[in-house]
């Protein structure tokens, strides 16, 4: 399965072009909290869409750690509109702003398709995203303990998921790696299989199907930032 990387600012866009040469697909966006992201990157993002260099737009979203909510929402709307114009899926980053995200997508961008990355919410929160037609990604946080086990089981039962490492940010507590790398992906998938009693092969098949349907290319896994 292909890895998929994500660029969060213009400097990273430039670097990720090298990945394209190696056949690695990537997404690009203006992150709501990353300190290097800026509205100034928007025209560069438009050019990536024009040239069909990226397979999706993201990470984009709303993050409560950024006190400038108006600026965040402006960027989010700009990028959701861009995704709509180019018929691209999005990768959403949402931290303690789920109700606002629901409102924006449900009322203004109901055709949005994509993934809520690094999902670590309740089963009820997952259902709210699922009803909007969105999938979620399973990473190190939700598989690291028992507090979200019911949500994890419901996500897997629904078949509306991807796997991600969120490297180098969210290292699974059970990972044998000294540093957080894409290699932790196998650890996350094995943990999901153990916690849900779903065979590895079945998890991989669902992942592949979802990837093909969302991105319209051969299957892959979201592994890096």
């Amino acid at each position: 399965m292909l890895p998929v990387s994500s660029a969060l600012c213009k400097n990273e866009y430039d670097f990720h072009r090298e990945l394209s040469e190696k056949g690695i697909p990537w997404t690009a966006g203006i992150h709501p909290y990353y300190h290097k992201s800026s509205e100034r990157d928007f025209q560069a993002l438009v050019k990536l869409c024009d040239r069909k260099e990226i397979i999706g737009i993201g990470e984009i979203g709303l993050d409560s750690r950024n006190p400038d909510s108006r600026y965040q929402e402006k960027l989010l709307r700009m990028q959701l509109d861009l995704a709509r114009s180019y018929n691209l899926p999005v990768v959403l980053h949402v931290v303690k702003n789920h109700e606002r995200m629901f409102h924006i997508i449900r009322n203004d961008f109901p055709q949005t398709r994509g993934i809520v990355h690094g999902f670590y919410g309740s089963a009820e929160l997952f259902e709210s995203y699922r009803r909007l037609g969105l999938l979620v990604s399973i990473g190190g946080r939700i598989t690291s303990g028992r507090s979200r086990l019911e949500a994890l089981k419901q996500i897997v039962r629904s078949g509306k998921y991807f796997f991600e490492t969120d490297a180098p940010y969210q290292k699974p507590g059970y990972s044998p790696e000294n540093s957080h790398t894409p290699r932790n992906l196998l650890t996350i998938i094995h943990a999901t299989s153990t916690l849900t009693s779903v065979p590895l092969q079945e998890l991989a098949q669902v992942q592949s199907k979802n990837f093909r349907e969302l991105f319209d290319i051969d299957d892959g896994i979201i592994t890096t930032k």
Side-chain angles (χ1 to χ4, degrees), residues 171-187:
K171 179 178 181 294
Y174 48 74
S175 171
E177 297 281 350
N178 292 326
S179 60
H180 190 19
T181 73
R183 288 191 297 271
N184 285 325
L185 185 66
L186 292 177
T187 308

Side-chain angles (χ1 to χ4, degrees), residues 65-156:
R65 294 170 296 181
N66 183 344
D68 194 343
S69 58
R70 289 187 178 182
Y71 172 72
Q72 286 186 77
E73 185 167 326
K74 175 187 175 182
L75 279 179
L76 172 62
R77 289 178 176 275
M78 289 169 62
Q79 293 177 96
L80 287 173
D81 188 56
L82 189 64
R84 177 168 58 189
S85 297
Y86 286 89
N87 192 29
L88 288 171
V90 298
V91 179
L92 295 176
H93 170 99
V94 192
V95 176
K96 296 181 179 179
N97 270 298
H98 299 288
E99 289 299 328
R100 188 59 188 159
M101 183 64 77
F102 297 154
H103 177 83
I104 291 170
I105 292 178
R106 183 169 53 243
N107 292 289
D108 300 326
F109 299 92
Q111 79 297 325
T112 298
R113 55 194 178 89
I115 312 161
V116 181
H117 109 96
F119 185 81
Y120 188 65
S122 65
E124 291 76 18
L125 185 62
F126 164 70
E127 280 300 313
S128 295
Y129 279 114
R130 187 188 63 77
R131 285 193 292 270
L132 290 174
L134 297 169
L135 294 83
V136 302
S137 66
I138 297 171
R141 285 188 73 196
I142 199 167
T143 58
S144 287
R146 297 280 174 175
S147 62
R148 297 298 185 190
L149 182 56
E150 286 308 310
L152 178 62
K153 288 180 177 179
Q154 186 160 333
I155 291 166
V156 171

Side-chain angles (χ1 to χ4, degrees), residues 2-225:
L2 290 172
V4 177
S5 191
S6 180
L8 308 182
C9 64
K10 186 177 183 300
N11 289 342
E12 293 185 10
Y13 304 168
D14 298 335
F15 165 75
H16 277 69
R17 287 194 174 92
E18 298 177 11
L19 295 180
S20 295
E21 296 174 1
K22 298 177 182 178
I24 297 176
W26 54 292
T27 67
I30 304 172
H31 194 278
Y33 187 65
Y34 188 47
H35 68 284
K36 294 182 181 180
S37 292
S38 167
E39 186 178 349
R40 293 187 299 272
D41 299 338
F42 186 74
Q43 288 307 314
L45 183 59
V46 172
K47 289 180 181 178
L48 292 176
C49 295
D50 278 336
R51 297 168 184 163
K52 299 181 179 179
E53 293 188 52
I54 55 176
I55 65 169
I57 295 178
E59 296 172 24
I60 64 175
L62 301 171
D63 192 313
S64 64
R65 294 170 296 181
N66 183 344
D68 194 343
S69 58
R70 289 187 178 182
Y71 172 72
Q72 286 186 77
E73 185 167 326
K74 175 187 175 182
L75 279 179
L76 172 62
R77 289 178 176 275
M78 289 169 62
Q79 293 177 96
L80 287 173
D81 188 56
L82 189 64
R84 177 168 58 189
S85 297
Y86 286 89
N87 192 29
L88 288 171
V90 298
V91 179
L92 295 176
H93 170 99
V94 192
V95 176
K96 296 181 179 179
N97 270 298
H98 299 288
E99 289 299 328
R100 188 59 188 159
M101 183 64 77
F102 297 154
H103 177 83
I104 291 170
I105 292 178
R106 183 169 53 243
N107 292 289
D108 300 326
F109 299 92
Q111 79 297 325
T112 298
R113 55 194 178 89
I115 312 161
V116 181
H117 109 96
F119 185 81
Y120 188 65
S122 65
E124 291 76 18
L125 185 62
F126 164 70
E127 280 300 313
S128 295
Y129 279 114
R130 187 188 63 77
R131 285 193 292 270
L132 290 174
L134 297 169
L135 294 83
V136 302
S137 66
I138 297 171
R141 285 188 73 196
I142 199 167
T143 58
S144 287
R146 297 280 174 175
S147 62
R148 297 298 185 190
L149 182 56
E150 286 308 310
L152 178 62
K153 288 180 177 179
Q154 186 160 333
I155 291 166
V156 171
R157 283 195 301 268
S158 76
K160 303 297 183 181
Y161 60 83
F162 288 84
F163 290 101
E164 75 165 322
T165 62
D166 200 16
Y169 300 103
Q170 293 187 25
K171 179 178 181 294
Y174 48 74
S175 171
E177 297 281 350
N178 292 326
S179 60
H180 190 19
T181 73
R183 288 191 297 271
N184 285 325
L185 185 66
L186 292 177
T187 308
I188 290 168
I189 298 173
H190 276 276
T192 301
S193 178
T194 299
L195 290 167
T196 63
S197 301
V198 175
L200 291 170
Q201 184 177 4
E202 182 177 334
L203 294 174
Q205 288 173 343
V206 171
Q207 156 77 36
S208 298
K209 173 180 176 292
N210 288 339
F211 192 89
R212 289 193 301 271
E213 291 179 352
L214 185 62
F215 294 107
D216 196 28
I217 60 176
D218 289 338
D219 56 315
I221 294 181
I222 300 174
T223 61
T224 67
K225 300 183 87 170

